[in-house]
Amino acid sequence: LVGLFIMGLGISLIAVSNFGNGPWDAVNIGLSEKTGLSIGLCMNIVAFIQIIIGGIIRKEFPNIVTMITSIFLGLFIDFWMLFLGNIVITEILMKFTLFILALPIISIGISIYLVSKLPNTPLDYFMLSIKSKFNLSLMASKITSESIGLVLGFILGGTIGIGTIIIILAIGPMIQYLQNPCNYVFCKLSQKTEVTTL
């Protein structure tokens, strides 16, 4: 929950910066424009499809439980947007600064909740399915899944910009770098909890 809460802050900052959407956000927006459905509904439709495909790749029954994680993430994003949603930034330098600030925040959030081994978001379930199927690093699998989103977002007419490319190239390496420190901290906290319980 802490990881999702932090990730929600990062995603909200990206939205406020208006510098560029993530590839899968572009898919959701493009699908919304094509179908006339709300972006939130389109997000859930895309998330469900990601879960189904992830299950097919892993040759297992799709992990529908990941939808719960997606719902919590949506709630946290809505929470942060209550405070940040009315902020309007016009200067390009400020937009870029806020955008760059949001990237490590999102990466930290993802790294924290991945360590917990609890259900991932549908997108990360899809990403980890690619990772296990093709034996890729976390960085390579993230870039692959984001690139798929980029292509689909472009086909659907979603908003693709410089920020989208930066997200694809930056998020994967950041998660890869932060994974070991997060694992270390989580193990230390788990050991302390076990000692206290005993």
Side-chain angles (χ1 to χ4, degrees), residues 81-94:
M81 289 304 289
L82 287 174
F83 301 98
L84 303 173
N86 293 325
I87 297 175
V88 178
I89 301 174
T90 55
E91 295 181 10
I92 188 67
L93 181 59
M94 286 299 295

Side-chain angles (χ1 to χ4, degrees), residues 50-68:
Q50 288 168 341
I51 293 171
I52 298 299
I53 294 176
I56 292 172
I57 291 174
R58 293 190 183 206
K59 297 181 180 179
E60 66 180 22
F61 186 80
N63 191 359
I64 304 299
V65 177
T66 58
M67 284 299 294
I68 297 173

Side-chain angles (χ1 to χ4, degrees), residues 154-169:
F154 181 79
I155 292 173
L156 291 169
T159 307
I160 304 292
I162 297 174
T164 308
I165 306 300
I166 294 175
I167 289 173
I168 291 175
L169 297 177

Side-chain angles (χ1 to χ4, degrees), residues 6 30 37 49 61 73 76 85 103 107 112 145 165 169 174 182:
I6 294 172
L37 301 173
I49 293 172
F61 186 80
L73 179 58
F76 289 143
L103 293 181
S107 300
I112 289 173
S145 66
I165 306 300
L169 297 177
M174 285 183 180
C182 286

Side-chain angles (χ1 to χ4, degrees), residues 19-175:
F19 192 77
N21 293 306
W24 288 99
D25 291 328
V27 172
N28 298 332
I29 293 169
L31 185 61
S32 174
E33 292 176 351
K34 293 287 187 184
T35 62
L37 301 173
S38 70
I39 294 175
L41 181 57
C42 289
M43 182 186 71
N44 287 326
I45 292 171
V46 171
F48 187 75
I49 293 172
Q50 288 168 341
I51 293 171
I52 298 299
I53 294 176
I56 292 172
I57 291 174
R58 293 190 183 206
K59 297 181 180 179
E60 66 180 22
F61 186 80
N63 191 359
I64 304 299
V65 177
T66 58
M67 284 299 294
I68 297 173
T69 309
S70 183
I71 291 168
F72 271 106
L73 179 58
L75 290 173
F76 289 143
I77 291 172
D78 288 342
F79 170 80
W80 286 114
M81 289 304 289
L82 287 174
F83 301 98
L84 303 173
N86 293 325
I87 297 175
V88 178
I89 301 174
T90 55
E91 295 181 10
I92 188 67
L93 181 59
M94 286 299 295
K95 288 184 177 183
F96 180 72
T97 301
L98 189 60
F99 177 84
I100 293 299
L101 175 65
L103 293 181
I105 293 175
I106 291 175
S107 300
I108 289 170
I110 292 174
S111 298
I112 289 173
Y113 83 73
L114 284 180
V115 167
S116 71
K117 307 301 181 187
L118 292 173
N120 306 306
T121 63
L123 175 55
D124 286 309
Y125 175 71
F126 176 67
M127 174 196 72
L128 293 172
S129 297
I130 293 174
K131 179 180 183 296
S132 62
K133 174 67 175 179
F134 300 103
N135 197 26
L136 301 174
S137 68
L138 201 59
M139 176 177 66
S141 57
K142 183 65 175 176
I143 291 175
T144 301
S145 66
E146 294 295 279
S147 297
I148 293 171
L150 176 66
V151 173
L152 292 175
F154 181 79
I155 292 173
L156 291 169
T159 307
I160 304 292
I162 297 174
T164 308
I165 306 300
I166 294 175
I167 289 173
I168 291 175
L169 297 177
I171 293 289
M174 285 183 180
I175 295 172

